[in-house]
Amino acid sequence: MTAACVGMIACSKDDAGGTASADGSKQVVLKVNLPATRAVDGTWLDGNGDPQKTTISTIDVFFTNANGTVQEHYTLNTGNGYLDDVQGDGLRFVGLKDVTAVYIAANVPESMNIGDITTMANFKVLMNQQAPSMEQNNMIFAGCDRVLIAGADTNTSIPTYGNTDNQDPKVPADGDMVYAADVVIRPIISRIEWGNITVADSGSKEFVQPDGSTYLVEWSNYAPIITGIYQSNVYLAENIFGTPQTSSLFATPANWTSIVNGAWVEPNPSIDGVTWSNVNPSLAYTGYQDGSGYAALLPTGYNGNTQCVPFHFFVPFDPTSPEDDNTQMTGDMDGTLPQWHFQLYYPDDRGYTITVKKKGAGEGDDKYKVVTDDKALSLKGDFLYPAGSDKIAYANVVNLKNSDGSSALTYRPGMIYTADIEINPYNVSLGFEDKDKYNVIVKVGVADFATQEVTPEFNK
């Protein structure tokens, strides 16, 4: 994170020419901007792949001193009529004493009891209780301004909150100075939507060897069932105005037995401040049927062009950034990237066949001939279904790449990543981590919550 606002709060650099009112109070004109839009129902994208319209229902404004203590708290909503003002030319707040910073949180659910916050450290605690299963229409947006700039108050069109100075809210008094606070608020999470999810029942892949020889592996009748999708390597708590704590990271388990009955087993030791039973459902979509075995995840008639399997994850960002474009925001993931695990169940081989051919082994250099040499047997082994006695295996997406596949994606806050994925036999592993090799095979897209294509990268 380039700037944290909690635990590192510094005094604002008030303009030297600014003076407070006779009673020592300040006037602040606050403007709140959204960098992008987001959806509120179903997929977060419309039929054209663009983000649906954002709905902001409440904006909570916290004015704090240099120590992060809340001096004033205001809630703006459709009832008091100030939402349009603060998102337009601005909203004037008067009578503010010992105020050096302003923090904004929009769409905070009532269950957070935000009115009880007395310091931004309290806010941090409440945010650590928010799991990535947050409902779309309750998605929290956040931002802050720790540098309030003073200037002459000449704008007569800006309304005053509550009209507490008992003057016409559209007419500042002669000689008034006003401190400007401009805050861009962003969703605190990013989202991936897996759309078309398929298994390649037949196909082929070439393998060029160090000695220049080329082998071709062909397969047919490959028919495992997709029974679930699981997410790992994600933060389960986010304090918005500070760097996520490593203690809140749900790291990818090393053992495939960490999934039981269609759900992750709670880590041992437990993750601080996280109630596993509340968080776990947001980390898995599964077709598992307790007592009756494994069932297909995707229902009959599932349409990946209009439906999706979504996951949320936190990306650290600088809440003070004035940038209106999230492409300027590089979230520091501290080398930790989210991963997705596609669970497969293969009840029988269903006539699955694998054929290995070698180029130049027949008549002519461009001809292929079926071979059974040691290398052919080794390659064939990579295409065998690797499951144990339970017939369960995984295709693990360990990274996303840009649409041309040339570089790894930089994760950013407030983004919607969209992916169609096709799983090939050589992508499948017995567990979650097989770092020896991987193949990039699927393309993904991104929407700014702006659309950009990326590519999921399997670990095998």
Side-chain angles (χ1 to χ4, degrees):
M1 216 177 201
T2 55
C5 296
V6 168
M8 300 172 58
I9 298 176
C11 295
S12 298
K13 299 176 182 177
D14 294 340
D15 189 284
T19 57
S21 301
D23 62 355
S25 66
K26 293 179 179 179
Q27 294 189 35
V28 175
V29 170
L30 172 64
K31 295 182 181 180
V32 176
N33 301 294
L34 293 172
T37 58
R38 70 170 178 85
V40 295
D41 186 33
T43 175
W44 292 16
L45 305 177
D46 63 20
N48 296 319
D50 298 320
Q52 296 187 35
K53 185 178 180 181
T54 295
T55 298
I56 297 295
S57 57
T58 61
I59 292 179
D60 281 276
V61 182
F62 299 90
F63 290 101
T64 74
N65 63 15
N67 295 319
T69 300
V70 176
Q71 305 298 94
E72 299 288 348
H73 169 217
Y74 303 91
T75 299
L76 315 180
N77 53 44
T78 54
N80 56 37
Y82 291 119
L83 280 179
D84 290 339
D85 294 327
V86 77
Q87 296 180 81
D89 291 333
L91 181 62
R92 185 192 310 275
F93 295 85
V94 300
L96 302 173
K97 294 185 178 182
D98 194 20
V99 165
T100 64
V102 57
Y103 295 81
I104 304 294
N107 286 0
V108 176
E110 292 183 5
S111 59
M112 279 187 61
N113 298 318
I114 199 169
D116 296 338
I117 293 174
T118 58
T119 69
M120 295 317 293
N122 296 150
F123 191 84
K124 172 183 174 180
V125 171
L126 288 176
M127 288 314 305
N128 279 340
Q129 299 171 3
Q130 301 302 302
S133 57
M134 198 175 288
E135 293 292 335
Q136 293 175 24
N137 59 354
N138 289 328
M139 182 54 55
I140 295 176
F141 289 63
C144 63
D145 190 342
R146 296 185 292 118
V147 180
L148 306 182
I149 304 300
D153 192 359
T154 59
N155 192 333
T156 61
S157 66
I158 297 175
T160 300
Y161 181 90
N163 194 20
T164 54
D165 55 358
N166 296 316
Q167 68 176 15
D168 186 335
K170 294 185 178 180
V171 182
D174 291 340
D176 274 358
M177 301 292 289
V178 65
Y179 291 81
D182 293 312
V183 180
V184 175
I185 58 174
R186 296 175 173 84
I188 66 171
I189 63 105
S190 284
R191 169 183 173 97
I192 187 165
E193 297 185 353
W194 296 102
N196 290 302
I197 306 168
T198 57
V199 174
D201 62 347
S202 62
S204 63
K205 183 175 177 61
E206 280 192 340
F207 295 88
V208 179
Q209 304 306 304
D211 63 3
S213 61
T214 301
Y215 288 80
L216 179 71
V217 181
E218 299 174 332
W219 74 91
S220 62
N221 298 320
Y222 187 65
I225 301 168
I226 299 173
T227 58
I229 308 175
Y230 300 81
Q231 182 176 236
S232 69
N233 255 31
V234 288
Y235 292 107
L236 300 183
E238 172 61 87
N239 58 35
I240 295 181
F241 300 120
T243 303
Q245 303 299 308
T246 56
S247 60
S248 72
L249 179 69
F250 171 53
T252 301
N255 195 325
W256 65 87
T257 58
S258 296
I259 291 179
V260 175
N261 294 353
W264 289 110
V265 174
E266 182 172 5
N268 185 16
S270 299
I271 298 175
D272 293 342
V274 171
T275 302
W276 190 250
S277 60
N278 294 335
V279 172
N280 207 359
S282 69
L283 301 174
Y285 292 89
T286 179
Y288 184 83
Q289 298 175 346
D290 192 15
S292 61
Y294 294 89
L297 168 67
L298 304 178
T300 301
Y302 174 86
N303 184 347
N305 296 320
T306 58
Q307 296 172 278
C308 68
V309 180
F311 290 91
H312 294 164
F313 53 92
F314 295 117
V315 179
F317 65 96
D318 177 6
T320 69
S321 173
E323 299 290 346
D324 290 336
D325 185 350
N326 274 10
T327 61
Q328 302 299 316
M329 300 290 295
T330 301
D332 181 5
M333 302 295 284
D334 295 324
T336 302
L337 302 176
Q339 297 183 10
W340 298 273
H341 314 281
F342 291 75
Q343 186 184 72
L344 305 175
Y345 172 60
Y346 213 144
D348 54 63
D349 64 14
R350 302 186 182 186
Y352 177 41
T353 62
I354 306 167
T355 304
V356 183
K357 299 178 179 180
K358 186 175 181 180
K359 190 175 184 180
E363 295 180 2
D365 292 340
D366 294 328
K367 299 288 186 177
Y368 284 90
K369 181 181 179 181
V370 176
V371 293
T372 57
D373 57 29
D374 289 346
K375 186 58 185 179
L377 293 175
S378 175
L379 289 172
K380 183 176 181 178
D382 288 337
F383 284 72
L384 293 173
Y385 189 73
S389 59
D390 60 0
K391 301 180 181 180
I392 290 295
Y394 296 89
N396 304 297
V397 176
V398 298
N399 205 349
L400 300 179
K401 287 199 170 186
N402 294 308
S403 58
D404 59 4
S406 62
S407 60
L409 179 75
T410 298
Y411 289 84
R412 306 184 191 279
M415 303 297 286
I416 306 169
Y417 300 92
T418 59
D420 291 333
I421 187 168
E422 182 181 64
I423 298 170
N424 292 281
Y426 52 83
N427 297 132
V428 181
S429 302
L430 185 59
F432 310 128
E433 294 189 354
D434 183 349
K435 302 301 185 183
D436 293 337
K437 54 188 173 181
Y438 57 81
N439 290 285
V440 178
I441 63 167
V442 187
K443 290 190 176 180
V444 184
V446 181
D448 192 356
F449 210 1
T451 299
Q452 160 195 349
E453 296 242 335
V454 296
T455 303
E457 180 177 300
F458 288 110
N459 73 324
K460 185 175 184 291

